[in-house]
Amino acid sequence: QVQLMESAGGSVQPGDSLKLSCEVSGGIASVYCLAWFRQVPGKEREGVARIREHSLVKYAAAVDGRFYISDDYDKRVYLQMNSLKPEDTAVYYCAAGVDRRTCTEEMDAHLYPFWGQGTQVTVSS
C-alpha cells in the first residue's frame, strides 16, 4: 500500500513562486509514476504534471513553462510552481500510479489508486 503526504501549501500573490513536496512511503517498489493534480469546487480533478522513470515528464497546457515536477527517486515528488496566477488556486493532490495503464499522457485522475490528502494553494492579491 502506497502512502502519500503533501507538504503544506499556502497563500501567495500573483507572480510568486511556491514549491510543494509529497513524501512517498509504503509500497514504493510498485510505483510506476507520480503525479500532481488539482481541484476547485464544482470541477473535476485535473492533471497538472506527471513524472515517471525520474525524467519523463508531462505537463498540462495551463501550467507548461511555469510548473516543474521532479522526484527524489520515488521517495518524494516535488512541484515547483512559478509565475502563479489566481486561476492556479486549488487544492493540490499528489498521486501514485502503478502501471503503464494508469500513467497515461491524459493524466486521468480516475485511474490513479493512491492519493495524498490534498493541500490548499491560494493565489490572490
Side-chain angles (χ1 to χ4, degrees), residues 58-112:
K58 169 72 176 179
Y59 297 100
V63 307
D64 199 2
R66 299 189 298 121
F67 289 15
Y68 299 94
I69 188 170
S70 60
D71 74 17
D72 183 16
Y73 285 84
D74 295 331
K75 294 181 180 179
R76 283 186 184 270
V77 59
Y78 303 94
L79 185 67
Q80 176 68 48
M81 303 184 290
N82 300 325
S83 303
L84 281 160
K85 304 175 181 180
E87 51 264 42
D88 295 318
T89 296
V91 177
Y92 283 73
Y93 298 87
C94 61
V98 297
D99 54 28
R100 188 180 296 272
R101 184 191 68 86
T102 306
C103 303
T104 63
E105 292 291 288
E106 291 74 23
M107 292 188 281
D108 185 346
H110 297 95
L111 299 178
Y112 283 73

Side-chain angles (χ1 to χ4, degrees), residues 1-3 25-28 30 113-114:
Q1 189 81 357
V2 179
Q3 289 95 42
S25 61
I28 293 175
S30 65
F114 302 111

Side-chain angles (χ1 to χ4, degrees), residues 19-85:
K19 187 172 186 176
L20 301 180
S21 68
C22 174
E23 183 176 356
V24 184
S25 61
I28 293 175
S30 65
V31 173
Y32 186 76
C33 71
L34 294 163
W36 287 95
F37 289 78
R38 66 186 181 186
Q39 189 170 24
V40 298
K43 290 193 174 181
E44 293 235 333
R45 196 168 294 186
E46 65 172 359
V48 174
R50 187 218 65 214
I51 186 168
R52 64 179 178 90
E53 299 176 37
H54 311 301
S55 62
L56 299 178
V57 298
K58 169 72 176 179
Y59 297 100
V63 307
D64 199 2
R66 299 189 298 121
F67 289 15
Y68 299 94
I69 188 170
S70 60
D71 74 17
D72 183 16
Y73 285 84
D74 295 331
K75 294 181 180 179
R76 283 186 184 270
V77 59
Y78 303 94
L79 185 67
Q80 176 68 48
M81 303 184 290
N82 300 325
S83 303
L84 281 160
K85 304 175 181 180

